[in-house]
Amino acid sequence: MDKVSFFSIVKNYKAVFLDSYGVLKNHQGLIEGVVDTIKLIRDEGIELRVLTNDASRSQVQQVQMFEDLGLRGLEEKEIITSGMLARQFLELKIKTGKFAYLGTENSANYIMKNGLTGIPISDVDIENSSDVAAFVFLDDEGFDWHRDINRTINFLRRNNLPIIVANSDKYYPISRDDVAVAIGGISRLCESVLNQKFIRFGKPDSQMFMFAYDDINETGNFGKSDILMVGDTLHTDILGGNKFGLKTLLVLSGNTRAKHAEVKINSTGIIPDYIADSILE
């Protein structure tokens, strides 16, 4: 598949959904030139949403993070996170009690609602935990990997309750060539050990795309053919966009490297409509 210019493609759409990591920023910070790209999108009158599987920050914190990196002007409503969807699930399904979690206190505080208290798995009394109403995989920090992953598995073996994965990413880049295991990867390990299926939020599942689609249609009139999904990862961004019926553009500025792109596309069968080096030209 021949590469295209992002600028030439995006002008054919009324809305664009952008992944965050690998599209707008990377391990070094904001990708140089992104500020100008966002300005072009706005100047063209194209509706913008950032769809991220990051469950560790609220919308307010996401806006502040981008401002600290040098990208100003994003609005809270323009950022949609997997943590938002996990919070919404808890609000609808779990009314009272506690939820145990694997992750940081900050991410737990974000998805917490009135009447529900978060407790880290390290503080859970595994033998006396009847007041725990749900378990949430939040992020890959804030716990001892050896002790607390084992505690998680043993706790879940003893209890039949909703198990939520707030970030389905299996890994994320920490340098040009290296990655770190994300909470989605840890949750898959636990699923395999327990022989269970957990409730997942974020790309590639449809909830995030439906939320974004409904959101832009509150003030506009958009069909799926009017929207371009842009991401750097085949199994989340592109697969999710394809399943939801959007045109998809794979950028080679993040998880998918140019030298591996063709092989990965052929081996997975996940085919983007377009490929571009980045959103910078």
Side-chain angles (χ1 to χ4, degrees):
M1 184 181 298
D2 294 333
K3 287 189 289 187
V4 300
S5 158
F6 170 75
F7 288 179
S8 68
I9 296 298
V10 75
K11 293 179 181 180
N12 298 321
Y13 294 89
K14 294 166 58 178
V16 60
F17 295 166
L18 300 174
D19 182 31
S20 177
Y21 203 101
V23 177
L24 300 177
K25 63 188 180 80
N26 59 24
H27 62 280
Q28 295 178 315
L30 197 70
I31 296 175
E32 187 175 356
V34 160
V35 172
D36 293 333
T37 296
I38 298 301
K39 183 178 185 302
L40 177 141
I41 290 171
R42 296 204 189 284
D43 289 346
E44 291 288 329
I46 299 170
E47 194 71 24
L48 167 70
R49 292 295 183 272
V50 177
L51 276 58
T52 174
N53 281 0
D54 181 1
S56 65
R57 297 181 181 92
S58 67
Q59 290 167 288
V60 173
Q61 291 170 327
Q62 291 278 351
V63 169
Q64 186 61 55
M65 178 268 294
F66 277 114
E67 287 187 354
D68 292 342
L69 292 176
L71 178 57
R72 295 174 176 82
L74 285 179
E75 300 179 27
E76 290 178 39
K77 71 173 185 177
E78 293 179 319
I79 298 178
I80 297 168
T81 76
S82 56
M84 290 170 52
L85 304 177
R87 177 187 174 95
Q88 187 179 69
F89 176 87
L90 290 172
E91 288 176 343
L92 293 172
K93 301 287 286 187
I94 312 298
K95 301 300 183 182
T96 60
K98 299 177 181 177
F99 69 90
Y101 66 86
L102 200 61
T104 64
E105 183 179 1
N106 180 67
S107 53
N109 287 339
Y110 169 52
I111 70 165
M112 205 177 299
K113 71 176 191 67
N114 292 336
L116 200 62
T117 303
I119 177 171
I121 188 63
S122 58
D123 293 345
V124 173
D125 181 352
I126 293 179
E127 303 298 337
N128 183 24
S129 54
S130 59
D131 59 343
V132 176
F135 186 90
V136 187
F137 289 88
L138 285 171
D139 54 57
D140 61 304
E141 298 179 341
F143 58 90
D144 181 288
W145 277 51
H146 176 73
R147 180 196 66 204
D148 291 335
I149 292 175
N150 284 329
R151 284 182 64 84
T152 294
I153 289 172
N154 285 303
F155 169 72
L156 296 178
R157 287 181 70 238
R158 289 167 167 78
N159 294 276
N160 183 21
L161 42 69
I163 305 170
I164 301 155
V165 182
N167 179 348
S168 58
D169 284 352
K170 292 189 288 186
Y171 62 88
Y172 58 92
I174 55 173
S175 71
R176 179 177 177 81
D177 299 310
D178 297 326
V179 300
V181 177
I183 195 66
I186 297 171
S187 70
R188 282 174 171 81
L189 166 66
C190 296
E191 276 185 321
S192 177
V193 172
L194 296 166
N195 196 28
Q196 290 181 251
K197 285 293 183 182
F198 303 159
I199 302 166
R200 297 186 175 277
F201 293 101
K203 301 165 290 183
D205 295 313
S206 295
Q207 300 103 320
M208 181 175 289
F209 294 94
M210 180 61 74
F211 188 100
Y213 183 72
D214 289 345
D215 186 60
I216 62 174
N217 274 295
E218 287 187 1
T219 55
N221 183 19
F222 299 88
K224 291 184 179 181
S225 62
D226 297 320
I227 305 167
L228 178 67
M229 174 65 209
V230 182
D232 68 316
T233 306
L234 288 169
H235 283 94
T236 55
D237 309 312
I238 305 306
L239 177 60
N242 286 349
K243 287 169 60 179
F244 194 64
L246 308 181
K247 291 292 186 178
T248 54
L249 186 150
L250 175 71
V251 293
L252 307 177
S253 51
N255 276 325
T256 305
R257 316 298 298 190
K259 62 182 179 181
H260 300 142
E262 184 175 356
V263 171
K264 287 189 174 183
I265 290 170
N266 291 337
S267 64
T268 62
I270 302 170
I271 304 172
D273 294 286
Y274 313 103
I275 299 177
D277 284 325
S278 68
I279 62 168
L280 306 184
E281 58 183 28

